[in-house]
Amino acid sequence: MQYLMKYLTSAPIMATLALVILSIVMIELNHVFPGLQYGTYFHRAL
Amino acid sequence: MRKLFAILLMGLLWFTLAPADAAAAGAPDTHLVPCQASEAFQERMQNAPESYYFDQPYQAYESNLLCGADGLPHLQLRFDRAIDVVIPFAIFFYFAGFVGWSGRAYLIGSKRASKPEETEIFIDLPLAIRAFSQGLLWPLLAIKELTAGELTVQKNELSVSPR
């Protein structure tokens, strides 16, 4: 268990995990606030 | 003195070149038109492949943005639409600061560990979570450290190459 935890906290694994979490956050943000991705979310409709 | 001159010059250029009256009157820019009225944009929209990656962005541009003669959306640098630039910049700036501050807090914290080098290869999770939560408040912490003189090293600690 101790060795498994040490392996899981190694930098490449943590970096991959961080990337996956960030991707999920970005996808969900775009889902909740449509238009954020296209740079139009903060615009008033013309 | 040089700094003061630069600031004065910046102010002078800003007030002479920025079209303040156009912003006050709410007058639209002379050459930008709403994308839905731009023929070049409509042509681009019709020629675009039909897929999720093109339909939704084009619809969003059509109803929200101003297009130039090239049929592509452009941002206006006007005070009444400053939000177009300010909010995305603020999000970027905060996120960049968050990443930087968390990393810095982690490295400073790891120096207190028994094996500082090892914490860079095997992430110390409690320390990392503490560093991330500090990173969320980075603007406040940066001001606090700057006023307390902890943000930068003292002049006498800087190494100077022999001259």
Side-chain angles (χ1 to χ4, degrees):
Chain A
M1 193 62 197
Q2 188 190 343
Y3 294 112
L4 179 71
M5 274 312 286
K6 191 154 184 175
Y7 171 70
L8 287 179
T9 55
S10 65
I13 303 283
M14 294 305 283
T16 311
L17 194 71
L19 205 67
V20 170
I21 291 172
L22 194 66
S23 311
I24 293 171
V25 168
M26 289 298 178
I27 291 167
E28 284 307 315
L29 266 179
N30 195 43
H31 196 247
V32 178
F33 305 105
L36 208 58
Q37 186 187 18
Y38 322 129
T40 54
Y41 183 74
F42 297 107
H43 290 256
R44 290 165 300 195
L46 289 166
Chain B
M1 190 62 207
R2 194 182 278 180
K3 255 186 192 170
L4 187 73
F5 180 69
I7 292 169
L8 278 176
L9 186 69
M10 211 164 69
L12 195 74
L13 284 174
W14 180 266
F15 285 110
T16 49
L17 296 183
D21 53 340
D29 194 280
T30 47
H31 67 281
L32 292 179
V33 291
C35 286
Q36 54 207 358
S38 162
E39 277 176 30
F41 175 80
Q42 293 296 338
E43 199 183 319
R44 276 180 193 276
M45 195 174 169
Q46 275 157 18
N47 292 337
E50 271 185 37
S51 78
Y52 170 81
Y53 298 102
F54 289 96
D55 295 348
Q56 290 203 14
Y58 269 110
Q59 281 164 18
Y61 300 154
E62 191 183 26
S63 53
N64 289 296
L65 297 184
L66 296 171
C67 281
D70 52 1
L72 293 170
H74 293 273
L75 285 184
Q76 278 183 309
L77 282 181
R78 270 166 47 185
F79 282 114
D80 60 334
R81 288 188 80 99
I83 205 165
D84 294 352
V85 180
V86 170
I87 290 182
F89 176 74
I91 293 174
F92 167 77
F93 190 66
Y94 177 76
F95 189 77
F98 165 73
V99 171
W101 198 272
S102 315
R104 177 178 179 270
Y106 183 81
L107 286 180
I108 291 172
S110 74
K111 277 185 189 158
R112 296 196 201 102
S114 56
K115 291 179 189 165
E117 301 83 14
E118 201 167 285
T119 53
E120 289 184 31
I121 303 166
F122 300 103
I123 307 297
D124 181 353
L125 278 183
L127 178 62
I129 290 167
R130 246 178 292 140
F132 279 137
S133 46
Q134 274 184 38
L136 287 175
L137 292 173
W138 76 265
L140 300 176
L141 290 172
I143 292 168
K144 192 202 116 203
E145 289 202 6
L146 190 66
T147 48
E150 295 164 0
L151 193 68
T152 51
V153 292
Q154 303 299 320
K155 272 243 162 102
N156 56 10
E157 288 175 44
L158 286 176
S159 59
V160 179
S161 57
R163 297 197 168 95

